[in-house]
Amino acid sequence: QLSAIAGDLASFARRATSILDRSHPAHIVSIFSDERWHGWFPPEETNFGSLRWSTPRASVQLPTAPHHKKIVIEMAPIRPWLGDLHECLSFRLNRRSIDRKRVHFDDWRVTIDIDAEMFSPHALQRLDIRCEPLSAPGGDPRKLGIPVKQISLVSDDPLGPASDAGLPE
């Protein structure tokens, strides 16, 4: 019974966090845009919806702006992660390593805290993702990184703009 109660509390905490996060404007980056996704396999349909697998070394260009305070990566729970995801996964923004203290893991969701000093003067910022390769299910020969369902740029200001109209989608 205690295990069931603990599971219910964890589920409630995730739902509460999700509701609070929705109160902050977010810009969702399309996984179907090929020109800004380097080191990624084409989008696929799975039982978990549309997703895009990274290779172990991948990058994506994001239309971040100084009002964005977080990058949120939603991953699909395809299979249990082999090893410690916290240790296997690292990020760089504009070629600068992101300190692990700025990266937060909650099940299949990674939140990266960012601030204005991390931005380059360009309209698009480059997020590099590095991880240990996973073997694909069913004998697929690909070396896979992470299964991304969505990447969102979140503003810390509940009244701030959701995205800059001048930036390309």
Side-chain angles (χ1 to χ4, degrees):
Q1 284 180 335
L2 289 176
S3 176
I5 292 170
D8 288 344
L9 287 173
S11 175
F12 175 76
R14 279 192 297 279
R15 284 194 318 264
T17 300
S18 176
I19 290 167
L20 288 174
D21 284 349
R22 281 189 223 130
S23 68
H24 298 286
H27 175 86
I28 297 173
V29 179
S30 172
I31 65 167
F32 298 102
S33 168
D34 282 335
E35 67 274 2
R36 287 191 245 145
W37 295 74
H38 304 282
W40 295 81
F41 293 100
E44 308 173 14
E45 281 300 318
T46 69
N47 294 339
F48 301 101
S50 297
L51 64 84
R52 192 162 193 165
W53 280 102
S54 79
T55 60
R57 296 185 177 275
S59 67
V60 60
Q61 291 179 315
L62 304 172
T64 55
H67 67 269
H68 291 129
K69 301 300 180 195
K70 297 176 190 292
I71 299 170
V72 179
I73 302 171
E74 304 270 348
M75 295 186 288
I78 299 288
R79 70 173 103 45
W81 193 270
L82 302 174
D84 187 1
L85 182 59
H86 301 111
E87 296 299 319
C88 296
L89 195 55
S90 65
F91 302 95
R92 293 186 323 170
L93 186 63
N94 299 318
R95 301 180 190 258
R96 292 179 57 193
S97 290
I98 296 175
D99 189 329
R100 290 195 182 277
K101 294 175 191 169
R102 292 180 164 274
V103 180
H104 311 284
F105 295 87
D106 179 26
D107 285 337
W108 291 93
R109 179 178 161 152
V110 179
T111 303
I112 304 168
D113 297 325
I114 55 176
D115 54 42
E117 70 188 30
M118 300 172 89
F119 294 110
S120 76
H122 306 290
L124 296 174
Q125 312 297 312
R126 180 178 162 168
L127 178 68
D128 294 309
I129 300 170
R130 305 286 183 261
C131 63
E132 298 293 323
L134 295 175
S135 296
D140 186 333
R142 301 179 295 176
K143 293 245 190 241
L144 300 176
I146 58 174
V148 172
K149 290 179 65 172
Q150 176 176 293
I151 297 179
S152 305
L153 307 168
V154 181
S155 173
D156 231 5
D157 180 7
L159 302 175
S163 67
D164 284 335
L167 294 176
E169 169 50 39

